[in-house]
Amino acid sequence: MASMMQPQIILLKEGTDTSQGKPQLISNINACVAVADVVRTTLGPRGMDKLIHDDKGNTTISNDGATIMKLLDIVHPAAKILVDIAKSQDSEVGDGTTTVVLLAGEFLKEAQPFIEDGVHPQNLIRSYRTASYLAIEKIKELAVSIEGKSLEEKKRLLAKCAATTLSSKLIGGEKEFFATMAVDAVLAIGAEDRLNMIGMKKVPGGTMRDSFLVNGVAFKKTFSYAGFEQQPKKFLNPKILLLNIELELKSEKENAEIRLSDPLQYQSIVDAEWNIIYDKLDKCVKSGAKVVLSRLAIGDLATQYFADRDIFCAGRVAEEDLHRVAAAAGGTVQTTVNNVIDEVLGTCDIFEEKQVGNERFNIFSGCPSGRTATIVLRGGADQFIEEAERSLHDAIMIVRRALKNSSVVSGGGAIDMEISRYLRQHARTIAGKSQLFINSYAKALEVIPRQLCDNAGFDATDVLNKLRQKHALPSGEGAPYGVDINTGGIADSFANFVWEPAVIKLNAINAATEAACLVLSVDETVKNPKSESAQGDAATMGGRGRGRGGYGGRGMRRR
Amino acid sequence: MSLAFDEFGRPFFIIREQERKTRLRGLDAQKANISAGKAVARILRTSLGPKGMDKMLQSPDGEVTITNDGATILEQMDVDNQIAKLMVELSRSQDYEIGDGTTGVVVMAGALLEEAQKLLERGIHPIRVAEGYELASRIAFEHLESIAHKFEFSCANEEPLIRTCMTTLSSKIVNRCKRSLAEIAVKAVLAVADLERRDVNLDLIKVEGKVGGKLEDTELIYGIIVDKDMSHPQMPKQIEDAHIAILTCPFEPPKPKTKHKVDIDTVEKFQTLRQQEQKYFDDMVQKCKDVGATLVICQWGFDDEANHLLMHRNLPAVRWVGGVELELIAIATGGRIVPRFQELTTEKLGKAGLVREKAFGTTKDRMIYIEHCANSRAVTIFIRGGNKMMIEETKRSIHDALCVARNLIRNNSIVYGGGSAEISCSIAVEAAADKYPGVEQYAIRAFADALDAIPMALAENSGLQPIETLSAVKSQQIKEKNNCCGIDCNDVGTNDMREQNVFETLIGKQQQILLATQVVKMILKIDDVISPSEY
């Protein structure tokens, strides 16, 4: 009785929302499954797109899991984990973002009944980890290496991988066209790991088939002054001077002031200023360069000066474009025009100003170092080109990854079915609860082929049973069989060139398992009340930190 | 929105401001999107063809535009729906790439969406519809190539080019002088075209308009017109064999860009300064005189003192000429733009056979004509018309005609107009459909039906019986194996578009089909629309 009289200890600030225990775990799982449901329909070649329209009036039409997750603006703490794994998949391998979210959602869904039945989450976690370890070993075993093939053949194989990625996208109709483009672009930049050397320019208008790859650099005509049209627009083997200075008549020092006591000196000051700019221009001309690019403005005076001397110039070139030109043409960006030696000048085979759609483009092609590529994308609408860019980005990442870890697995759900079969088989050798959990993990993996069928409108159960039968053949010849998206049956994915780099699957399974385990290990959420005043800002910061520490930390301690 | 429930069965928020967002998904989303797209197409449908009607659009600040040009209509309509915006962009990209056929492409997309809706209702997967459309568009694309005619033209024989431009112009309000406008457009394009590179820079064609006069007075000037007058009313109004100094520096004492201050402490110093300034003017004018300039065109202004001096020295001048015009003048007259008086030399002067100032009607408006230039690679089309709206519409129509002429120089293949190409494609696609197994077959057939929408709209707008006319023409095409049969919109009495001389460019048509298919695919592929419900 005495203990009941004790004053209540208020541990947390008023309004703090805490929930804990099993119901909390279940509700976290529900939230994750709900999020996974959102991206579910975008999987596979028959996957649909989402149109997301935000408050600012921007519209995005996308099929890319990571993009959708990002735009959904998820606030639920557990569901945010899924957003993070989609992002990490995107930055790590570039594709398979929908897959990873879907897998994580499915792992959790499978775990739910066990949790409801009172299984300790840590048991589940342990089994899931084992299963993922086994799955990864199996993928490594099944992967086919394309190492050691000739360049031509490698190119063909890489294009297949890119085509598989692209088939689910809006530009799927032209997947061969874009796959080859992606492969060419990646091979053009060579072994270097600088992805920003592949430029993508978007020009509305035209059809997607009008897109083209420039083996060099292309950028939109910059703002020009009068006299620009009188400059020549095409050069063969020009020398290119890259600058980072202004070529304009301007005051040399911002804060300087000239005091004249004699009006006769006036002219000399004017002349001095003109001489400075003329001197700069003269040095540019003397360097022998035929194309002058600058990151800063090239004024009208300079434009006309160059026009008189048959030199092409462009001012206010975007920095990344300038760096690409530097890398491609082999020059270096100069911050002064003094002592311009031949070594810092770049060159290329052809420089030309060309009309692309409604814009004029400066195109440098046939560059000696050849370490850059620019893709000019065309399409009927802005959103279309945006989506094409995202898709092509995925394809480029895939090709890059496949080039580095050159092993592929068969797609179309074949690899997932095979792992699933392997895990089931393995589960039978285990005594104890773990058997059930690994079995459910195996079942969760089947979500990929199932969803492929669902999205295409096929009878998923039927197809899945056919696949299970094929994969269960003792000879193992059924291993590469996956969903045939065209007929609604099953087909040998490997023979049909539905390939994915093994690294996508490895990363997806790893990340999805990690995420599922993380969600399972949480049993309490402490949510601080929203701060009301500016003064409360700092309090929230601290509070949030504590909250986060709280739910991670507590879960760990009770292990 | 997808909801999840917590342990007490209450829904909880996963997405920020979930309650304020609306979400449409599945077939509902597709149907909503399709009807938005169709609504846009319906607006444009009546402006298709030679008997198509115009739209009057009023902007928020009261400006009125009357036009028949699809891209312009959609641009001014300021649509809010996302799918409708896609249609606007579709029309715009046709405008960017081809410049003509902006109405047709939207009508085509609308028809494709309409057909798709029927298929969706029958339970066909939207992506399979889209894929079928893509297959069909490729068939149509190739078919167009096979029925296209190459035609030869040269600078001497511009008749075919004129005919094609006339087809474009016939649907516009200016069609009563389509012949003369088409001639002007073709001559202008040929004047600036680089026939070897097959490249035309339309920037070199300046289109200038002035209210007053009549449409027939529209003319092509091998030179430049500047909407300015001589800086001094007493300057000569006509200069023959003009040597033009093109300046980007003002007639005033030069100022250093750096901040400066002149200390004047005595009267003498002030006098010197004063004299120096006068001397500057004097020197500048003298310099122009010395190199032999008989006309000065200046980007900047100059004050009355300089103006007076120029007048005295008998050196006519034009001030405040815009940068773009200055450039065109430089190109046309073969001169160089001079940024500084010290740089002025005889070689840098532009030459023009005749420069004259022309007054219009009773108004005080005057313009300067620079004609008979050394290099006629820059031309001006000068449009006259009864009112501003008319001139604006004529400008747009001329732009379309110029684009058509340019496209023909790029690729000299043509197809016949009046819906004949669409009908022919429709027949070809229909025939090819049977070869495809699977659901796509239905989509391909639907595509063929959608192709009929353009001739159908043409017939409808011309007051003909749409279905009867279309079926008659279609059967005629098949019977006579003549793919030039189209809709006789102008009631000439023949269906053969070869005899009617109705041509369209091949690339324009191909682009229409591909673009429309592409956008329709994009719309069909969306099954989920998430938007803030506020608007």
Side-chain angles (χ1 to χ4, degrees):
Chain A
M1 201 62 196
S3 66
M4 282 189 72
M5 291 305 287
Q6 269 181 359
Q8 225 182 339
I9 300 166
I10 298 173
L11 194 64
L12 298 168
K13 210 159 56 167
E14 203 174 330
T16 310
D17 184 17
T18 64
S19 36
Q20 54 177 307
K22 204 160 81 178
Q24 165 65 19
L25 191 45
I26 301 286
S27 91
N28 277 348
I29 292 176
N30 279 337
C32 291
V33 171
V35 170
D37 272 342
V38 177
V39 292
R40 193 171 279 272
T41 55
T42 63
L43 189 80
R46 295 270 195 272
M48 306 295 279
D49 290 2
K50 310 268 161 198
L51 189 154
I52 300 169
H53 185 173
D54 68 9
D55 318 342
K56 294 178 204 94
N58 300 329
T59 318
T60 313
I61 298 178
S62 184
N63 179 283
D64 182 46
T67 311
I68 297 169
M69 296 296 273
K70 204 158 51 195
L71 288 169
L72 275 178
D73 200 3
I74 290 171
V75 290
H76 191 277
K80 265 189 175 168
I81 295 172
L82 294 191
V83 182
D84 288 342
I85 56 170
K87 274 189 202 157
S88 77
Q89 176 86 3
D90 194 33
S91 50
E92 191 64 25
V93 272
D95 190 36
T97 47
T98 311
T99 313
V100 70
V101 175
L102 209 53
L103 277 178
E106 204 62 21
F107 289 152
L108 289 170
K109 204 175 179 180
E110 288 296 329
Q112 192 174 359
F114 292 119
I115 300 286
E116 277 166 357
D117 288 348
V119 172
H120 197 281
Q122 290 302 337
N123 273 336
L124 266 168
I125 292 173
R126 198 176 314 126
S127 302
Y128 273 15
R129 293 228 164 105
T130 325
S132 86
Y133 174 75
L134 288 169
I136 282 163
E137 288 305 307
K138 185 70 183 167
I139 294 175
K140 284 185 181 154
E141 186 190 318
L142 284 171
V144 178
S145 174
I146 56 167
E147 200 72 64
K149 301 264 166 68
S150 70
L151 186 68
E152 272 309 301
E153 194 160 357
K154 218 171 188 176
K155 233 171 150 176
R156 211 170 45 82
L157 299 176
L158 288 173
K160 299 285 183 219
C161 287
T164 308
T165 308
L166 288 173
S167 64
S168 68
K169 309 287 182 190
L170 193 57
I171 51 178
E174 305 283 353
K175 60 182 175 192
E176 283 86 13
F177 178 73
F178 283 105
T180 333
M181 188 182 274
V183 172
D184 285 344
V186 172
L187 291 181
I189 62 164
E192 258 185 88
D193 212 15
R194 288 152 65 191
L195 205 60
N196 57 358
M197 283 295 132
I198 300 180
M200 285 214 220
K201 300 285 157 185
K202 294 170 273 186
V203 188
T207 60
M208 48 191 174
R209 268 202 170 256
D210 294 331
S211 309
F212 57 93
L213 176 80
V214 178
N215 214 340
V217 188
F219 56 87
K220 209 165 87 180
K221 185 191 124 176
T222 52
F223 179 80
S224 62
Y225 288 93
F228 177 77
E229 290 300 329
Q230 285 180 305
Q231 295 174 348
K233 296 296 163 58
K234 187 173 179 177
F235 289 105
L236 293 175
N237 292 317
K239 284 190 177 155
I240 304 166
L241 176 63
L242 306 159
L243 294 173
N244 195 6
I245 51 168
E246 281 176 336
L247 292 177
E248 249 183 329
L249 185 62
K250 56 157 192 149
S251 58
E252 281 302 312
K253 284 272 181 290
E254 281 299 314
N255 300 321
E257 194 185 273
I258 303 167
R259 279 173 176 261
L260 296 173
S261 52
D262 185 1
L264 289 172
Q265 294 167 342
Y266 197 79
Q267 181 65 38
S268 59
I269 299 294
V270 175
D271 283 343
E273 275 192 354
W274 282 87
N275 283 337
I276 291 173
I277 176 82
Y278 274 135
D279 189 41
K280 281 186 192 168
L281 294 176
D282 194 45
K283 277 178 180 148
C284 294
V285 175
K286 284 236 177 74
S287 72
K290 281 290 165 200
V291 176
V292 178
L293 303 178
S294 175
R295 202 176 69 77
L296 296 168
I298 293 185
D300 49 352
L301 171 71
T303 308
Q304 288 142 21
Y305 191 89
F306 287 138
D308 273 353
R309 287 154 186 80
D310 284 340
I311 292 172
F312 178 88
C313 71
R316 294 188 200 281
V317 178
E319 191 167 4
E320 44 166 20
D321 286 329
L322 200 67
H323 282 302
R324 269 206 291 274
V325 175
T332 35
V333 179
Q334 298 293 303
T335 47
T336 170
V337 286
N338 293 324
N339 297 327
V340 175
I341 44 171
D342 251 9
E343 279 81 76
V344 301
L345 295 177
T347 186
C348 67
D349 285 352
I350 303 168
F351 164 77
E352 200 176 359
E353 189 191 270
K354 249 192 196 162
Q355 183 92 24
V356 179
N358 207 26
E359 318 264 14
R360 292 198 81 85
F361 262 73
N362 298 323
I363 297 175
F364 300 83
S365 51
C367 300
S369 68
R371 291 228 178 277
T372 53
T374 307
I375 294 172
V376 179
L377 283 175
R378 312 294 314 277
D382 282 347
Q383 280 99 341
F384 189 96
I385 307 177
E386 299 276 332
E387 174 65 3
E389 186 190 359
R390 280 190 290 270
S391 312
L392 213 51
H393 172 255
D394 281 7
I396 287 172
M397 294 295 278
I398 288 299
V399 175
R400 257 184 74 218
R401 295 303 299 207
L403 200 61
K404 270 195 203 152
N405 315 32
S406 41
S407 57
V408 293
V409 293
S410 43
I415 186 77
D416 309 273
M417 284 308 283
E418 184 60 17
I419 302 169
S420 169
R421 179 200 62 85
Y422 171 71
L423 286 178
R424 271 176 219 267
Q425 212 173 31
H426 175 82
R428 279 189 220 119
T429 62
I430 304 170
K433 277 188 226 163
S434 199
Q435 184 185 15
L436 276 174
F437 305 150
I438 293 186
N439 248 334
S440 66
Y441 188 94
K443 189 173 171 226
L445 282 172
E446 284 177 358
V447 71
I448 302 287
R450 191 171 341 118
Q451 198 58 45
L452 283 176
C453 293
D454 278 347
N455 286 349
F458 303 142
D459 185 346
T461 324
D462 198 29
V463 176
L464 231 56
N465 281 333
K466 277 190 204 159
L467 278 177
R468 282 200 199 108
Q469 183 266 338
K470 262 284 181 234
H471 283 264
L473 287 179
S475 61
E477 63 179 32
Y481 273 77
V483 181
D484 182 351
I485 218 72
N486 294 317
T487 61
I490 59 170
D492 188 337
S493 299
F494 203 78
N496 288 331
F497 298 114
V498 182
W499 294 358
E500 295 174 277
V503 64
I504 296 186
K505 271 281 138 58
L506 291 176
N507 208 57
I509 288 187
N510 247 335
T513 313
E514 280 299 321
C517 294
L518 192 59
V519 173
L520 286 176
S521 66
V522 174
D523 76 335
E524 178 163 347
T525 311
V526 181
K527 199 170 161 196
N528 277 65
K530 270 189 188 162
S531 63
E532 271 153 33
S533 60
Q535 183 225 354
D537 231 25
T540 336
M541 290 289 285
R544 223 184 270 148
R546 191 188 63 184
R548 210 186 289 144
Y551 86 70
R554 258 174 237 207
M556 301 295 272
R557 214 177 305 139
R558 287 193 189 167
R559 195 179 264 184
Chain B
M1 204 80 242
S2 44
L3 288 179
F5 297 94
D6 67 1
E7 57 267 45
F8 307 111
R10 290 179 314 198
F12 60 87
F13 297 137
I14 298 177
I15 291 164
R16 195 186 302 274
E17 292 176 337
Q18 190 158 282
E19 73 276 25
R20 294 236 317 269
K21 286 182 179 161
T22 51
R23 181 175 184 199
L24 263 181
R25 54 183 304 179
L27 207 54
D28 287 337
Q30 268 142 2
K31 279 193 183 151
N33 291 345
I34 288 176
S35 53
K38 268 163 56 186
V40 174
R42 211 160 35 231
I43 296 171
L44 286 194
R45 201 179 152 92
T46 53
S47 30
L48 192 75
K51 292 272 155 54
M53 305 299 278
D54 289 0
K55 310 275 168 211
M56 185 184 243
L57 304 145
Q58 193 172 13
S59 73
D61 38 320
E63 208 154 302
V64 179
T65 312
I66 298 180
T67 183
N68 177 288
D69 182 51
T72 316
I73 297 173
L74 290 178
E75 203 98 342
Q76 302 259 333
M77 274 203 322
D78 197 13
V79 292
D80 201 34
N81 183 289
Q82 289 311 315
I83 300 299
K85 272 190 190 157
L86 281 180
M87 301 291 266
V88 175
E89 277 176 27
L90 165 71
S91 174
R92 196 185 303 154
S93 50
Q94 174 83 9
D95 193 31
Y96 283 170
E97 194 69 13
I98 304 294
D100 183 39
T102 49
T103 315
V105 69
V106 176
V107 172
M108 175 87 203
L112 284 173
L113 285 174
E114 196 161 350
E115 293 295 329
Q117 190 174 15
K118 288 183 204 154
L119 294 178
L120 293 187
E121 273 163 11
R122 289 161 78 175
I124 296 179
H125 197 284
I127 297 212
R128 310 211 75 166
V129 176
E131 275 170 10
Y133 277 181
E134 225 159 56
L135 283 173
S137 74
R138 233 165 282 164
I139 298 168
F141 185 87
E142 275 151 26
H143 182 73
L144 278 175
E145 208 130 297
S146 70
I147 63 167
H149 290 254
K150 280 222 179 287
F151 75 160
E152 294 308 318
F153 63 88
S154 59
C155 290
N157 177 20
E158 44 199 39
E159 190 59 26
L161 286 175
I162 294 173
R163 290 267 169 76
T164 322
C165 287
M166 275 165 69
T167 310
T168 305
L169 290 173
S170 64
S171 68
K172 311 284 178 190
I173 201 167
V174 294
N175 60 7
R176 83 191 138 93
C177 17
K178 61 180 174 187
R179 173 83 211 179
S180 62
L181 288 181
E183 274 173 20
I184 287 173
V186 169
K187 280 188 182 136
V189 168
L190 284 177
V192 301
D194 187 343
L195 286 178
E196 263 166 47
R197 275 179 63 208
R198 288 182 175 269
D199 187 35
V200 183
N201 189 355
L202 287 186
D203 290 344
L204 295 178
I205 301 175
K206 191 173 173 225
V207 182
E208 187 77 36
K210 192 108 193 153
V211 178
K214 47 189 195 295
L215 197 57
E216 282 80 356
D217 294 338
T218 301
E219 54 185 338
L220 174 71
I221 290 146
Y222 289 97
I224 307 293
I225 297 183
V226 189
D227 193 1
K228 293 278 180 302
D229 46 10
M230 293 293 180
S231 60
H232 198 287
Q234 280 172 303
M235 284 178 182
K237 300 280 178 259
Q238 187 158 339
I239 304 156
E240 273 166 35
D241 267 335
H243 290 249
I244 307 169
I246 306 159
L247 299 173
T248 53
C249 45
F251 269 96
E252 51 184 52
K255 282 196 195 89
K257 293 269 178 179
T258 314
K259 240 198 269 171
H260 62 280
K261 206 173 185 180
V262 183
D263 286 330
I264 300 195
D265 39 17
T266 59
V267 180
E268 285 76 45
K269 275 190 183 171
F270 185 72
Q271 292 281 358
T272 348
L273 191 68
R274 174 94 193 87
Q275 275 162 12
Q276 222 176 355
E277 271 185 21
Q278 263 176 346
K279 193 164 169 301
Y280 269 124
F281 285 131
D282 226 34
D283 283 352
M284 285 170 185
V285 179
Q286 193 53 46
K287 184 77 190 165
C288 297
K289 275 287 199 196
D290 282 351
V291 294
T294 54
L295 175 68
V296 176
I297 289 178
C298 186
Q299 194 176 14
W300 304 102
F302 31 86
D303 54 23
D304 288 344
E305 198 176 335
N307 202 4
H308 171 78
L309 209 60
L310 285 166
M311 172 63 206
H312 255 283
R313 294 296 197 84
N314 200 11
L315 189 60
V318 186
R319 55 184 162 181
W320 295 122
V321 177
V324 182
E325 283 156 345
L326 208 67
E327 196 165 15
L328 281 174
I329 292 172
I331 292 171
T333 59
R336 289 289 179 178
I337 300 170
V338 179
R340 211 184 170 200
F341 283 101
Q342 278 85 340
E343 288 211 356
L344 205 57
T345 56
T346 317
E347 296 84 62
K348 288 188 176 176
L349 296 181
K351 288 169 195 65
L354 180 66
V355 178
R356 62 197 164 102
E357 191 184 86
K358 196 175 166 187
F360 293 100
T362 54
T363 58
K364 280 190 188 153
D365 287 346
R366 276 182 286 265
M367 287 178 120
I368 290 181
Y369 283 56
I370 301 171
E371 291 173 288
H372 306 299
C373 299
N375 165 16
S376 58
R377 289 295 298 277
V379 298
T380 307
I381 296 173
F382 187 55
I383 298 169
R384 305 304 308 277
N387 55 48
K388 198 161 166 259
M389 282 174 246
M390 183 74 185
I391 287 184
E392 290 300 313
E393 176 65 1
T394 313
K395 269 189 189 173
R396 281 188 288 269
S397 310
I398 289 267
H399 171 256
D400 282 8
L402 290 174
C403 289
V404 167
R406 177 190 64 179
N407 292 341
L408 279 175
I409 287 177
R410 279 199 195 148
N411 178 350
N412 59 351
S413 301
I414 50 139
V415 291
Y416 292 96
S420 68
E422 281 89 355
I423 298 175
S424 175
C425 282
S426 160
I427 296 169
V429 171
E430 181 94 51
D434 297 338
K435 290 179 203 141
Y436 286 85
V439 189
E440 282 84 2
Q441 196 185 93
Y442 279 80
I444 296 174
R445 248 185 234 131
F447 190 91
D449 287 343
L451 277 170
D452 286 344
I454 288 184
M456 194 96 95
L458 274 179
E460 221 167 279
N461 291 346
S462 314
L464 302 167
Q465 293 281 347
I467 298 180
E468 275 173 34
T469 322
L470 179 63
S471 49
V473 173
K474 216 170 187 178
S475 73
Q476 198 185 348
Q477 277 213 8
I478 295 177
K479 236 184 276 165
E480 297 175 10
K481 293 206 172 22
N482 176 2
N483 51 35
C484 309
C485 293
I487 308 289
D488 179 16
C489 298
N490 291 326
D491 211 17
V492 179
T494 168
N495 274 336
D496 197 325
M497 290 299 138
R498 251 181 311 197
E499 286 168 36
Q500 284 208 20
N501 286 323
V502 180
F503 309 123
E504 281 176 78
T505 54
L506 170 68
I507 43 175
K509 259 288 108 84
Q510 284 178 329
Q511 183 86 8
Q512 264 185 2
I513 289 180
L514 290 182
L515 270 181
T517 315
Q518 212 174 80
V519 169
V520 166
K521 179 175 182 190
M522 184 158 191
I523 295 175
L524 286 179
K525 216 164 171 270
I526 298 168
D527 79 330
D528 206 336
V529 181
I530 301 170
S531 50
S533 59
E534 299 302 295
Y535 45 93

